[in-house]
Amino acid sequence: MKESRNVESFSLDHTKVRAPYVRLAGRKVGPKGDVVTKFDIRFCQPNMEYMPTGGIHTLEHLMAEYVRDELDGVIDLSPMGCRTGFYLTVFGEQDEESVAARLRNVLSKVASWPDAEAVPGVDPVMCGNAADHDLAAAKKWATAWVAGIDRKGWSCF
Ligand SMILES: [Zn+2]
């Protein structure tokens, strides 16, 4: 196994975590004292399951739109390349429990998204792969995330 000197998630033992969860994955202080925190928002049990591209893409659009209504200081929400979750980067000292509570609101909204209602940004002008979306899959993963957090809590263990 090749070690990494630079990437936080490469030092996480992905065989020990229990998805879904919210985990603080990084904290940086800028030269002017601003704090930025980064969270690992996991949906799938690593190396057991993963989201198909259409589903994670639609989930990204819906979460990106609504997480900013719930949480102040959102810098970025991006899917992980392994397609088992997202990284959420925010300004300020935010904690896992409150981020999980805000995300639960966002994902409850996604889970009950009306099938007939357009997903924000699904358009060749606003999206780089507007053909690759799957609302049913996004709703399924959102529902599973909320149910999992309600059952086991937000912790990764
Ligand atoms: Zn897109």
Side-chain angles (χ1 to χ4, degrees):
M1 169 171 31
K2 182 151 177 68
E3 308 255 322
S4 169
R5 292 169 296 111
N6 295 315
V7 182
E8 185 274 344
S9 77
F10 294 168
S11 62
L12 172 71
D13 186 342
H14 286 74
T15 68
K16 298 282 196 293
V17 296
R18 285 173 52 234
Y21 62 79
V22 173
R23 183 180 70 87
L24 181 67
R27 178 183 179 279
K28 298 238 187 232
V29 182
K32 301 199 169 154
D34 282 330
V35 174
V36 171
T37 43
K38 175 182 170 183
F39 294 88
D40 164 355
I41 313 297
R42 199 72 61 149
F43 281 71
C44 308
Q45 186 60 35
N47 300 299
M48 303 283 283
E49 53 185 359
Y50 60 90
M51 291 180 265
T53 57
I56 196 170
H57 188 189
T58 301
L59 203 45
E60 179 206 9
H61 276 236
L62 288 166
M63 290 172 74
E65 180 72 12
Y66 293 108
V67 74
R68 290 169 168 88
D69 294 338
E70 288 286 336
L71 205 57
D72 288 333
V74 172
I75 297 170
D76 183 52
L77 174 86
S78 295
M80 296 173 178
C82 59
R83 291 185 274 145
T84 64
F86 292 81
Y87 283 115
L88 172 67
T89 306
V90 294
F91 277 119
E93 305 278 4
Q94 307 213 34
D95 64 88
E96 293 158 332
E97 185 169 15
S98 65
V99 167
R102 302 280 89 74
L103 281 173
R104 192 190 178 288
N105 293 343
V106 173
L107 288 163
S108 296
K109 187 181 255 184
V110 173
S112 60
W113 191 265
D115 289 328
E117 192 166 330
V119 172
V122 179
D123 175 302
V125 174
M126 294 183 273
C127 174
N129 194 358
D132 191 23
H133 278 274
D134 185 342
L135 177 59
K139 289 169 68 170
K140 183 191 99 170
W141 286 106
T143 302
W145 193 91
V146 171
I149 296 294
D150 287 351
R151 185 180 67 250
K152 62 174 272 300
W154 52 263
S155 169
C156 65
F157 298 111

